[in-house]
Every structure is written in structure tokens, then in C-alpha cells.
Amino acid sequence: MAGTGHEGRAERFLDWETVAVVRPYAVTKGRTAPTGGTQVGLIDAVVATGQWPQPQFRPGPEERRILELCHRAKPVVDLASETNLPVGVVRVLLSDLIDEGLVRVIPAARKPHTDQRLLRMVLDGLQSL
């Protein structure tokens, strides 16, 4: 197929770094934080509820991909990796899906972490006073 001679022109005006920044912003409709106070941790698992979206909610391709991936519980960080989206974007999209009842979050088991080395350093510091 013969070229039109304009192929290089479009490439010259396309700034790929700008595209990489603008796209996530467009995917979240300009939002940078989850809505409704939804806090989802990096290792919290997300699973689809199996509910159908309400007619007023039209999931975009990224949200549909997240729903596909969540047929089994999947950590947020894995969703970000498998959708090739920043974690912040995934969290915003997840908040929409949570608000619509399409996914639920299974919090990761969190147990207190006692760092013995840190406690020893604090104790040594106090004793040196």
C-alpha cells in the first residue's frame, strides 16, 4: 500500500510522554482519589460480586477488564500489573465498581508487626540518656 507522505508528520506531533500521562487522567475522568472514602490497600483482594451494572452505569474498557480479572479474588497490586495501569488509577476505578456493587474488597489479614531490632535501638537510645 502506497504511503500518503504524511506518516512522519503525525509521528512528529505526537508526544508519547504526554499520552502516557493524559490517558490515566482520562480513564478516571480527571479524578485522582477514590470516591466515597473507599480505601483499598495494595494487598487487599478484590472479587466480582456477579451483579449486573445498573443502566446508568456504563463501565469503560478498563473497568470491564478489572471485572474479568476479578472472577477470583485478586490483590489490587496484581490488578494494576495485569491491566498495565497505575495503582492510583486502579483504586479510583475500583471505588466506582464498589459503589455500584460490582466488586467487593476482602481486606488482607493485618497483624501487628513488632520489629525487635527497632525496639532494641530505641531501648539502647533511652539507656544512653
Side-chain angles (χ1 to χ4, degrees):
M1 181 171 174
T4 61
H6 297 286
E7 295 85 8
R9 181 199 238 168
E11 187 69 29
R12 186 175 57 215
F13 291 111
L14 191 57
D15 181 358
W16 288 106
E17 290 177 17
T18 303
V19 170
V21 172
V22 172
R23 185 174 179 275
Y25 186 78
V27 168
T28 62
K29 299 175 181 89
R31 295 170 295 148
T32 58
T35 58
T38 304
Q39 294 298 322
V40 182
L42 290 175
I43 59 172
D44 289 344
V46 180
V47 65
T49 62
Q51 299 293 320
W52 288 94
Q54 296 297 319
Q56 73 275 8
F57 181 73
R58 292 196 173 144
E62 292 83 4
E63 290 161 320
R64 288 193 303 268
R65 177 69 177 136
I66 289 171
L67 287 171
E68 288 172 10
L69 293 170
C70 289
H71 286 294
R72 291 185 179 202
K74 187 163 296 260
V76 172
V77 70
D78 288 354
L79 289 172
S81 174
E82 292 182 33
T83 58
N84 201 27
L85 292 169
V87 173
V89 170
V90 170
R91 284 179 166 162
V92 170
L93 297 177
L94 283 173
S95 73
D96 294 343
L97 296 172
I98 291 167
D99 291 346
E100 292 296 323
L102 300 177
V103 297
R104 67 182 177 89
V105 177
I106 304 166
R110 291 174 174 79
K111 50 186 170 176
H113 182 292
T114 305
D115 186 345
Q116 297 293 329
R117 189 174 52 88
L118 177 62
L119 292 175
R120 174 55 57 195
M121 289 171 53
V122 171
L123 183 60
D124 291 345
L126 289 172
Q127 288 176 342
S128 69
L129 294 175

